[in-house]
Amino acid sequence: MKPVRRGVIPAAGWGTRFLPVTKAIPKEMLPVVDRPMVQYAVEEAAQAGIQHLTIVTSRVKESLAAHFDRAPELERFLEAHRETPALKGVRRLATLADLAYVTQQEQLGLGHAVLTARNSVGNEPFAVLLPDDIVASDTPAIGQLLQVYHQYGGSVVAVEEIPPEASRSYGVVDVEPVAEGLYRVKGLVEKPKPEEAPSRLGVVGRYVFTPGIFEALAEVRPGALGEIQLTDGMHLLAQREPMYAWVLQGKRYDVGTPLGLLKASVELALQREDLAPALRQWLKGLAL
Ligand code: UTP
């Protein structure tokens, strides 16, 4: 079985739920505490040993690439002002991973974004991390999927238990159990009505794919808005190759909406020694 050395981070969506801020700034550059959401995904991948990352960007990509590039003038300024922790943080960014960028010329959906990374990934298994899902866990979320991949082979998708009425917002898997927290995927349905959902397991933004996903996505017929759904490509792939669903261990934050981003920011800041005491005190005051 080939090792997974590459990852794809789709970051080219319109981010309409965050308009107007996403008019000129990619959603993935919005901060959660003091890091843009995309940095959480890059760090998670690097922690799991995935060093080569392709970020799929739109035309407003400059800030994304600039975030992970060296910044000599800023570094000189921080050095002169003895801002050592800030300087370390800034320098570290350029060492996190080997980053490549590809442009998705038209926003034709998540499946299309993954397909855009095809040449960059090549004929290898690879991970996909959606930056608008942040997972706090002991083992990095994508590392959990890699463990399944190494043990069972085939593609692996992260899922979580969802309440029935939430099925309209998720891709839902049709599965049979394999082991504790692990299922074999027979098929997937995008945003089904609760009564038509094949299970209570909703897909969240972590995946490991064999290169077969590219052929599958290339065959998917675009929907009414011209979008190529990743769920449709995965459904096709699951008919051809083994695919597994793994129930993520950890806490997932959906930072794809303003409310979700606020909740994640508060909870993650409460886990930081430098911020928690003052934030907790302020929150207590609010609750009065
Ligand atoms: P979302 O479904 O959250 O869409 O994308 P979005 O455009 O980012 O946000 P809304 O729904 O308009 O508010 C999930 C992930 O897929 C990427 C996004 O950047 C995000 O990381 N994506 C989506 C693309 O890269 N290209 C697309 O065409 C669509």
Side-chain angles (χ1 to χ4, degrees):
M1 196 185 311
K2 280 190 181 175
V4 179
R5 303 178 305 137
R6 298 185 179 277
V8 173
I9 300 183
W14 285 116
T16 54
R17 285 169 289 177
F18 275 103
L19 282 170
V21 67
T22 41
K23 185 161 172 265
I25 299 170
K27 173 176 79 177
E28 293 72 14
M29 283 303 293
L30 298 181
V32 181
V33 190
D34 53 6
R35 286 183 275 167
M37 50 177 93
V38 65
Q39 190 179 332
Y40 289 83
V42 169
E43 288 183 356
E44 181 187 317
Q47 258 183 28
I50 301 170
Q51 273 302 323
H52 303 279
L53 295 173
T54 301
I55 302 188
V56 183
T57 63
S58 64
R59 270 172 236 97
V60 283
K61 66 181 177 187
E62 288 77 12
S63 58
L64 257 163
H67 181 70
F68 293 104
D69 279 348
R70 290 294 298 266
E73 286 175 3
L74 173 62
E75 289 174 26
R76 272 198 298 277
F77 174 86
L78 295 171
E79 225 159 23
H81 289 75
R82 301 191 195 291
E83 297 273 4
T84 313
L87 180 62
K88 265 191 173 161
V90 165
R91 285 214 172 118
R92 184 175 155 266
L93 288 171
T95 65
L96 285 174
D98 164 26
L99 298 178
Y101 299 89
V102 296
T103 307
Q104 186 186 19
Q105 300 290 350
E106 265 188 287
Q107 276 49 60
L108 294 178
L110 177 56
H112 182 261
V114 172
L115 198 49
T116 303
R118 185 176 195 167
N119 286 342
S120 180
V121 168
N123 193 31
E124 284 196 31
F126 64 103
V128 174
L129 299 92
L130 302 193
D132 46 13
D133 276 332
I134 293 178
V135 187
S137 54
D138 294 337
T139 304
I142 199 66
Q144 298 177 26
L145 269 59
L146 289 178
Q147 282 172 6
V148 175
Y149 169 81
H150 287 304
Q151 197 174 343
Y152 292 87
S155 296
V156 190
V157 53
V159 293
E160 67 181 18
E161 287 236 12
I162 56 168
E165 63 280 7
S167 66
R168 294 177 199 273
S169 320
Y170 286 80
V172 178
V173 286
D174 183 9
V175 287
E176 53 196 34
V178 172
E180 177 76 32
L182 184 68
Y183 299 83
R184 173 87 188 239
V185 178
K186 296 187 285 175
L188 295 94
V189 191
E190 181 67 10
K191 301 186 172 66
K193 293 179 192 152
E195 60 276 18
E196 287 166 14
S199 76
R200 290 267 195 97
L201 297 172
V203 171
V204 297
R206 298 293 182 274
Y207 316 79
V208 171
F209 289 124
T210 64
I213 191 66
F214 291 128
E215 277 101 75
L217 284 169
E219 288 171 39
V220 165
R221 303 236 324 261
L225 299 171
E227 292 202 347
I228 296 178
Q229 302 282 2
L230 182 58
T231 308
D232 293 343
M234 290 170 65
H235 180 77
L236 206 54
L237 185 64
Q239 315 310 308
R240 299 174 175 171
E241 295 178 12
M243 182 182 289
Y244 295 92
W246 169 251
V247 181
L248 265 194
Q249 307 291 299
K251 174 134 196 206
R252 180 183 72 99
Y253 299 98
D254 173 5
V255 292
T257 64
L259 182 61
L261 183 92
L262 281 170
K263 287 181 182 170
S265 303
V266 171
E267 284 202 32
L268 292 172
L270 285 171
Q271 292 165 23
R272 290 249 309 239
E273 273 175 23
D274 56 336
L275 298 171
L279 179 60
R280 192 168 290 121
Q281 200 169 7
W282 180 74
L283 286 170
K284 274 186 192 152
L286 272 187
L288 283 176

